[in-house]
């Protein structure tokens, strides 16, 4: 089911309904500031298991933790060097994935299968996700929509493939194919693991 939200002032009633459904273990597809992504509540075991099933990937494959801002993200970070903090402050919200060392507060249902306590944190510049997270009690867990070796950029194509398998697909129009830039900030110096959207800002 394709869902439409106002592009400037997303309806709070609709967002609250989505939030409630996420807490029940449902999965949605949201547009981000890069590609479309499968999204679940980070504390929902059912929702996270459905993410893996929909993406058809091993539970050892990493997922991303989506947060509204650095303040919320810091609740899950073991240690963030000053340089990395300044970088995150400069670049977020934006199309970046920050690889960080996670602390004991990391949602176990989302990340218990990962051997190393390192996760990717996303703080996307995407109005629908940002407005949803203002009312949703937990960070979100997400993974990009990738089918048959291709990123799906049209909401109509998403409906054909996932319409009966997810609770809803948020219409964000045609999105970019460009992926996020991945930055490893676990050490004293930042390392660029993948150049993507926004890499020109580094």
């Amino acid at each position: 089911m394709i869902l439409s939200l106002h592009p400037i002032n997303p309806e709070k009633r609709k967002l609250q309904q989505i939030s409630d459904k996420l807490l029940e273990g449902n999965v949605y597809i949201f547009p981000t500031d890069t590609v479309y992504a499968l999204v679940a509540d980070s504390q929902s075991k059912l929702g996270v298991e459905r993410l893996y099933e929909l993406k058809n990937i091993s539970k050892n494959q990493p997922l991303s933790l989506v947060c509204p801002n650095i303040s919320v993200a810091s609740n899950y970070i073991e240690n963030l060097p000053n340089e990395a903090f300044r970088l995150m402050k400069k670049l977020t919200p934006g199309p970046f994935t920050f690889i960080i060392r996670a602390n004991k507060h990391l949602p176990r249902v989302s990340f218990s299968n990962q051997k190393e306590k390192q996760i990717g944190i996303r703080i996307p510049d995407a109005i629908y996700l940002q407005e949803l997270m203002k009312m949703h009690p937990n960070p979100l867990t997400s993974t990009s929509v990738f089918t048959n070796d291709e990123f799906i950029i049209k909401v109509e194509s998403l409906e054909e493939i996932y319409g009966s398998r997810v609770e809803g697909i948020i219409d964000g129009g045609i999105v970019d194919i460009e992926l996020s830039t991945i930055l490893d900030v676990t050490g004293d110096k930042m390392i660029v693991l993948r150049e993507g959207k926004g890499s020109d800002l580094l």
Side-chain angles (χ1 to χ4, degrees):
M1 178 173 59
I2 297 176
L3 303 175
S4 296
L5 295 171
H6 192 281
I8 299 174
N9 296 303
E11 297 85 348
K12 288 183 170 56
R13 177 182 58 82
K14 292 183 179 179
L15 290 173
Q16 186 60 60
Q17 291 173 345
I18 292 171
S19 175
D20 292 342
K21 289 289 187 179
L22 287 168
L23 290 172
E24 293 172 3
N26 290 286
V27 173
Y28 284 81
I29 294 177
F30 267 81
T32 72
D33 48 4
T34 53
V35 297
Y36 276 100
L38 292 158
V39 173
D41 179 88
S42 63
Q43 300 282 7
S44 170
K45 182 178 181 182
L46 175 60
V48 172
E49 287 179 347
R50 292 186 69 189
L51 274 191
Y52 281 112
E53 180 184 336
L54 287 163
K55 188 76 175 279
N56 193 26
I57 56 175
S58 162
K59 290 187 177 180
N60 293 321
Q61 290 284 102
L63 302 173
S64 294
L65 186 69
V66 180
C67 299
N69 50 52
I70 298 176
S71 178
V72 171
S74 66
N75 294 326
Y76 307 97
I77 298 174
E78 180 67 37
N79 176 56
L80 190 65
N82 289 334
E83 181 182 346
F85 174 80
R86 287 193 292 268
L87 184 69
M88 289 183 73
K89 189 174 181 181
K90 172 188 174 184
L91 298 177
T92 60
F96 299 90
T97 299
F98 297 91
I99 306 301
I100 57 96
R101 293 190 186 280
N103 62 24
K104 62 182 179 180
H105 301 299
L106 192 66
R108 291 187 58 80
V109 298
S110 291
F111 303 101
S112 61
N113 294 309
Q114 294 182 209
K115 294 179 181 180
E116 296 183 16
K117 290 301 179 182
Q118 294 184 2
I119 61 161
I121 284 184
R122 282 275 276 128
I123 304 175
D125 186 13
I127 185 169
Y128 298 148
L129 282 173
Q130 284 289 344
E131 291 299 311
L132 172 65
M133 288 188 287
K134 287 180 180 179
M135 61 180 67
H136 196 70
N138 306 317
L140 303 170
T141 298
S142 79
T143 182
S144 59
V145 179
F146 189 80
T147 302
N148 296 329
D149 296 327
E150 291 183 351
F151 288 104
I152 305 171
I153 62 173
K154 294 182 179 180
V155 70
E156 293 82 8
S157 300
L158 289 167
E159 171 70 9
E160 290 177 10
I161 299 170
Y162 293 101
S164 62
R165 303 170 64 198
V166 297
E167 186 67 23
I169 302 165
I170 312 305
D171 188 354
I174 298 176
V175 299
D176 293 332
I177 299 179
E178 199 169 7
L179 295 174
S180 65
T181 293
I182 300 179
L183 305 174
D184 185 334
V185 293
T186 57
D188 294 333
K189 292 186 177 181
M190 178 198 75
I191 300 173
V192 180
L193 299 182
R194 181 180 72 196
E195 289 191 7
K197 190 174 181 180
S199 59
D200 57 316
L201 298 176
L202 298 175

